Amino acid sequence: MAARPVFQMLWRVLRTSARSCSSGATGTQLHPGVSSQPAAEVLSSRRQFLRKHAAPFSAFLTDNFDRQHSYLRISLTEKCNLRCQYCMPEEGVPLTPKADLLTTEEVLTLARLFVREGVDKIRLTGGEPLIRPDVVDIVAQLHQLEGLRTIGVTTNGINLARLLPKLQKAGLNAINISLDTLVPAKFEFIVRRRGFHKVMEGIHKAIELGYNPVKVNCVVMRGLNEDELLDFVALTEGLPLDVRFIEYMPFDGNKWNFKKMVSYKEMLDTVQQRWPELEKLPEEESSTAKAFKIPGFQGQISFITSMSEHFCGSCNRLRITADGNLKVCLFGNSEVSLRDHLRMGASEEELLRIIGAAVGRKKRQHAGMFNISQMKNRPMILIELPLMHQDSPPAIPRISFWDALCVQNLRPRVSFSNQVATLWKGCGVLKTPLLAQQWLGSGLAQRHYSSSLDSATNPKCLSPRSWAPTTPSEPVLPSDQLTHVDTQGRASMVDVGRKPDTERMAVASAVVLLGPVAFQLIQQNQLKKGDALMVAQLAGVQAAKLTSQLIPLCHHVALSHVQVQLELDNTRHAVVIQGSCRARGPTGVEMEALTSAAVAALTVYDMCKAVSRDIVLEEIKLISKTGGQRGDFHRT
């Protein structure tokens, strides 16, 4: 830290009256009529000097994966003058009392602390930051902080044209404007308010004042605005815009579901069909966007792939909510209150220790999109009312992966295996952390996986316990002869053509003894191959459906329900697997259940074998079966 004063002195010497825009283009020309070339040269020499003489980056803002957090987003208010459907529930959200929000001095105190530790970019967000009365003054005071290179704002644009001249004079040099449609009537439907022409006026005012590029954020939602992709791209032909298409993300109140999301690859394919000459631009360090440009166009387009292709590995962002909570991940529900510690008189050293501890707990990556859709998190409007003040994740109810995927609504001509392959490749399922977890008294996370596929109308996922009859089962009458051989002792498939169709159910289990090392890696979801429980879950469902292809003399059964559950057993360092199957037909489904459990167990083995070869598969057994002619069976 001793080098920090020297760094600040050097920076003071190097500072010029012109400040650069954070758009990514060097030497941004903010004032018309002023040549951009000298500014670009000054900026280039300044960057070279700083790279050579920069002080070591703060340990408090460096996480366990060596990510240096130099970008801070500060929410100035929870209030907004729009009601965007993907951001806020129609009825609004309960707002934090004004006394519990950060004061202007508290905002600046925290900003000074973070900048002193190495943050060089601050973006002001909301709610809608431009409705805060002292926003111009806040920008002006941030502008005075030594070492802060970029001050940006993310706004809905309603008040932008009126305030931008003052904001620019105060030191604002980066602008992101939200605009999800170019159709005025559709704009009112999406944001539940009027104001389309004010937003467009704000965009043109930004261009007029020399911001280049002006970033336009467009959240793409299937069935709402994905048909306007090409219209947005066309805007970049004659305007210095960076139109950024954002994948629809789940937050409380926006009724997120998988079908609404238009993936980056789908959007890119649409644009390339119209402009095949589209060129990929080099990715900047810590950038969240994949940038492209059409040759000859003045602006560019970008894709923010938060859901389908995360950029966690290079994440350098931290967030402070309007009520003073530090969030180290946008999709995380873990927060720590800096406001409370400030108001209790914590010293800067104490605040830094608190910040450093929170940054140190940041995970390698956020949960996958299906997991995130089930997590309790703030509505988007309140991120940028604390739901949780604790630093450890809350208990998450057991969920059905396939319910989240809405499998029953997928087109039948697409095979199950192709669906899974598409998801794995396009959505990063193999890298997703916990699908569900409970917190035990010991503080260790117990992971539970439950996936189901049910073709019944209005399906209800049945747990194996709910399948067991309440009345005592009849005794099993074993056959004294093998049924899969003919009179000459040759293998033969049983003829079930004359048997009546009955409701058949079966449950089987398996146990994988991993040992402490592999068990801990699975528990923390740190296996290099990805999420073993998720992959095993999918494998178990697929295996149940393919049983007749794997075991030669099994009949093909049209399963109406498959469920695979995986739980971690801390005492044995084991994964306990249960496969459950149901069908209506002339033959039972115990082989399907057993195959499901066995293949899930083998998949866990495969995922962990690089860590340990001392893995044991045991207790592959039938737990229960009902509906057969020979009576029910329940293992006691």
Side-chain angles (χ1 to χ4, degrees), residues 510-515 572-575 601 604-605 612-620:
V511 175
V512 185
L513 301 178
L514 294 166
R572 293 191 290 172
H573 296 129
V575 178
V604 173
Y605 182 97
S612 172
R613 294 298 174 92
D614 189 22
I615 301 174
V616 178
L617 277 60
E618 63 177 28
E619 298 183 36
I620 299 176

Side-chain angles (χ1 to χ4, degrees), residues 581-601:
C581 297
R582 183 179 64 188
R584 184 171 185 84
T587 186
V589 290
E590 60 265 41
M591 290 308 302
E592 283 71 16
L594 284 163
T595 303
S596 175
V599 171

Side-chain angles (χ1 to χ4, degrees), residues 328-451:
V328 297
C329 177
L330 173 63
F331 295 104
N333 48 19
S334 178
E335 303 177 0
V336 59
S337 177
L338 301 181
R339 175 205 64 200
D340 291 349
H341 289 90
L342 269 176
R343 295 181 182 181
M344 288 188 295
S347 65
E348 287 191 350
E349 289 73 17
E350 290 171 330
L351 285 172
L352 284 176
R353 284 198 295 269
I354 294 164
I355 292 167
V359 172
R361 288 190 295 270
K362 185 171 182 177
K363 298 179 180 179
R364 182 183 295 273
Q365 65 186 60
H366 64 64
M369 62 179 172
F370 304 113
N371 302 352
I372 291 173
S373 68
Q374 303 293 329
M375 290 171 59
K376 197 68 176 173
N377 198 356
R378 292 178 182 236
M380 187 62 179
I381 189 71
L382 301 186
I383 293 182
E384 302 252 87
L385 310 173
L387 296 173
M388 303 292 294
H389 284 285
Q390 62 194 38
D391 293 323
S392 47
I396 302 176
R398 184 174 299 180
I399 63 171
S400 165
F401 174 81
W402 293 114
D403 283 350
L405 199 59
C406 299
V407 161
Q408 64 269 23
N409 293 325
L410 293 175
R411 291 174 293 182
R413 69 172 179 268
V414 182
S415 71
F416 175 89
S417 57
N418 286 340
Q419 293 164 8
V420 172
T422 301
L423 288 170
W424 286 1
K425 292 178 181 178
C427 307
V429 169
L430 292 182
K431 296 292 183 182
T432 56
L434 312 188
L435 181 63
Q437 57 187 352
Q438 288 182 335
W439 282 84
L440 308 176
S442 63
L444 293 175
Q446 177 71 34
R447 301 177 64 200
H448 303 274
Y449 274 52
S450 174
S451 76

Side-chain angles (χ1 to χ4, degrees), residues 152-163:
V153 67
T154 295
T155 173
N156 60 30
I158 298 295
N159 296 335
L160 185 60
R162 175 173 59 87
L163 291 175

